Amino acid sequence: MPKSGQKSLLRALRGEAITPPPVWLMRQAGRYLPEYRDVRRKAGGFLELCYTPEMAVEVTLQPIRRYGFDAAILFSDILVIPDGLGQPVRFEEGEGPKLDPIRDTAGLAQLSDERMHDRLAPVYETVRRLSQALPQEVTLIGFAGAPWTVATYMVEGGSSRDFAVTRAWSLSDPEGFGRLIDIVTAATADYLCRQIEAGAEAIQLFDSWAGVLPDDAFQRWVIEPNARIVSALKERFPDIPVIGFPRGAGVLYERYIEQTAVDAVSLDTTVPLSWAAERLQPKVTVQGNLDPQVLLAGGAALEHRAREIVATLGHGPFIFNLGHGIIKETPPENVAQLLDIIRGSEKN
C-alpha cells in the first residue's frame, strides 16, 4: 500500500501530472447517499452529527467504501468556528443555519477562544480516527471556512442572498469589522493546525462567498486573511499542502494564487478551462470544476464534459472535482459513472 508520499492526490498537490487524475468531490459525503441519510436520522441534529466522532467517521468513510475516491474530506461544517468561539449555531430543518447575529464591535465581546478547543475536541477526535481507518492510499483532507465567508454567517445570522449587512459594516467601520476578521482568522489557523496534528494530510479553505466582493474588498477580506492562515500553517507544517477555494473570484483567482501562496486552487464552475490551463495551472495545481448540475443530469452530458475537463487540464498538475458541492438529488449511480469515465480516460 502507498506511503503518504506516494498517494496520488498528494503527488498532484506537489505539482505532478498524474494519469488518470486523482478525484474526490465536494460534499461527497451527504444527502444524495441513502446510507448517509440513515446515519443523519439517528444523529438527530446536524451539529450533533458533526460532534459525534463515531457518526462523523462513518459518513466520511461511506463514499470511500462506495466509490474508492482518492481523498476523504473530514465531515464537519464551516460554522463550528463561530460555535466554538461562543456564538451558538443551530440548524433548522429546511432553513439552514441560524446564529444570533453580531453586527457591531460590541457584539465581539461574546467571542472567546478560551474554550474553543474543548468544544471542537470531537472534531479532532474524528480526524484521529479517520487517519487510522482510511485505506492507506486515500488522502485525508481537513478543512475550514475562510474568514470572510464565516463572517458573513456570523453577521447576517445565517445564509444571505446579498450580504448587505456584512458589506455595510465592512464599509462603514472597516476597523471594527477587521477585528471580527482577525478573530476568525486566528481561530481558523489554530483550528486547522489541530486538525493537522490529529492526522489531516492536506487542507482546503472554503471561501464560498468570495465572489460577492469587488477587487479592493477582495484584497482586504479574502486575500489577506487567507494569506495569514496559509503562512501560519506553513510555519508549523511546511509540508502540508493547502488548497484555496475563492469561489466566484473570476480573474482575481490569479491574484489570489500569487498572494496567498496556496499550493492548489479549486475552480468554480464558471472558470473557463482554457484560461485555467494557460494562466493558473503553470503556477499551482488546479482542482475542479465539473458543474454539479451536469453530474445530476448524468448520461452523455456528463461523459462529454468530464472528458473535456480531463483533456484540457489533465496534462498538468490536476485533481478532478466539482465546481461546488454535489446536489442532494444526484443519483448515486451518476457518481459511479463519473468515476468510470475519469479512471478510464487514459484508455480513450
Side-chain angles (χ1 to χ4, degrees):
M1 301 292 270
K3 297 178 181 178
S4 178
Q6 299 171 322
K7 296 181 179 185
S8 63
L9 188 127
L10 294 178
R11 289 169 54 204
L13 288 171
R14 289 198 301 268
E16 291 187 44
I18 298 171
T19 304
V23 56
W24 69 279
L25 303 178
M26 288 182 272
R27 292 199 196 129
Q28 64 188 25
R31 292 176 291 176
Y32 75 106
L33 290 177
E35 56 266 41
Y36 168 87
R37 295 194 294 269
D38 289 342
V39 177
R40 173 69 175 79
R41 279 191 293 270
K42 294 173 185 174
F46 179 74
L47 272 182
E48 285 75 13
L49 175 55
C50 293
Y51 289 148
T52 306
E54 182 179 359
M55 290 183 171
V57 167
E58 170 58 23
V59 295
T60 304
L61 292 175
Q62 286 171 349
I64 305 302
R65 295 193 201 107
R66 185 186 271 258
Y67 301 113
F69 286 115
D70 295 293
I73 186 164
L74 163 70
F75 186 86
S76 185
D77 192 81
I78 65 170
L79 297 183
V80 299
I81 286 288
D83 194 55
L85 287 171
Q87 183 184 20
V89 178
R90 58 196 183 277
F91 284 81
E92 298 180 5
E93 200 65 38
E95 294 188 32
K98 300 291 181 183
L99 304 85
D100 295 331
I102 296 173
R103 295 185 170 170
D104 52 36
T105 52
L108 300 178
Q110 69 180 275
L111 302 178
S112 171
D113 62 1
E114 185 176 348
R115 303 200 62 183
M116 182 179 80
H117 297 301
D118 291 337
R119 178 65 169 156
L120 301 183
V123 180
Y124 309 138
E125 177 62 21
T126 297
V127 176
R128 278 189 287 273
R129 294 188 187 191
L130 284 168
S131 68
Q132 299 299 315
L134 282 168
Q136 292 185 30
E137 69 272 15
V138 177
T139 299
L140 176 56
I141 302 174
F143 79 92
W148 163 257
T149 290
V150 172
T152 66
Y153 288 93
M154 298 174 76
V155 175
E156 302 287 340
S159 302
S160 174
R161 290 180 180 270
D162 56 12
F163 309 97
V165 180
T166 313
R167 295 186 66 189
W169 184 10
S170 72
L171 290 166
S172 64
D173 180 18
E175 183 178 341
F177 183 73
R179 287 174 56 195
L180 173 61
I181 291 290
D182 289 345
I183 290 168
V184 176
T185 299
T188 302
D190 202 8
Y191 172 59
L192 290 172
C193 284
R194 299 283 182 120
Q195 289 187 35
I196 294 168
E197 289 172 344
E201 300 170 285
I203 294 296
Q204 177 150 323
L205 267 175
F206 287 85
D207 221 340
S208 302
W209 307 125
V212 305
L213 294 170
D215 61 345
D216 56 341
F218 185 93
Q219 180 71 33
R220 182 162 188 181
W221 308 126
V222 173
I223 288 179
E224 292 175 11
N226 278 262
R228 297 208 307 269
I229 291 170
V230 173
S231 177
L233 296 181
K234 292 295 184 179
E235 183 177 351
R236 292 187 58 188
F237 305 100
D239 296 328
I240 297 295
V242 180
I243 307 164
F245 185 33
R247 181 173 170 240
V251 296
L252 294 174
Y253 264 102
E254 199 165 7
R255 191 197 301 179
Y256 177 92
I257 289 168
E258 293 166 351
Q259 297 186 15
T260 61
V262 291
D263 300 280
V265 67
S266 196
L267 310 176
D268 66 66
T269 300
T270 68
V271 177
L273 297 177
S274 58
W275 182 80
E278 178 184 346
R279 302 296 292 270
L280 306 183
Q281 203 169 25
K283 297 179 173 69
V284 293
T285 301
V286 294
Q287 174 178 279
N289 69 339
L290 182 71
D291 187 342
Q293 289 286 348
V294 175
L295 182 62
L296 174 64
L302 174 58
E303 180 157 4
H304 172 77
R305 186 57 175 173
R307 291 194 188 283
E308 186 177 27
I309 292 170
V310 173
T312 307
L313 299 177
H315 301 291
F318 172 58
I319 298 163
F320 196 100
N321 207 308
L322 302 178
H324 199 37
I326 294 178
I327 297 168
K328 66 179 181 179
E329 293 84 7
T330 301
E333 56 268 26
N334 289 11
V335 178
Q337 180 195 359
L338 174 63
L339 269 290
D340 287 342
I341 293 166
I342 300 218
R343 289 176 173 165
S345 60
E346 78 278 14
K347 303 172 186 176
N348 296 285

